[in-house]
Amino acid sequence: MVTAEDIGKRVEDDSGRVGILRDVIPDYEDPSELPWRRRKQPIAFLWPEQGGREWLVPPGNVKPSLLSP
């Protein structure tokens, strides 16, 4: 699991995607959900090293990457 101390470091999610941890929000609510369906949940924001679309993953599904930079 990653924490705010890992922000800016290379990490890997459970599906094997590697990226840079941008943020960890413990009480994130998805703004795309209807207001009555929103629920607070911890979320990690990951960004591909070479650019691209950021993706969201529960922090328990992310670990520091063992791959060299």
Side-chain angles (χ1 to χ4, degrees):
M1 183 164 122
V2 293
T3 65
E5 293 179 8
D6 297 305
I7 291 174
K9 296 181 182 173
R10 180 182 284 191
V11 295
E12 182 177 346
D13 69 13
D14 281 352
S15 66
R17 293 184 293 179
V18 176
I20 304 298
L21 181 65
R22 300 282 303 249
D23 202 359
V24 178
I25 299 177
D27 58 352
Y28 177 76
E29 290 184 24
D30 187 347
S32 68
E33 289 287 338
L34 295 170
W36 59 87
R37 291 189 149 178
R38 292 180 189 167
R39 63 183 180 93
K40 294 182 180 186
Q41 59 185 339
I43 290 290
F45 291 76
L46 281 64
W47 181 60
E49 289 181 286
Q50 305 302 319
R53 293 189 74 153
E54 182 175 65
W55 73 97
L56 306 149
V57 184
N61 295 358
V62 182
K63 62 185 177 193
S65 176
L66 300 177
L67 299 176
S68 301

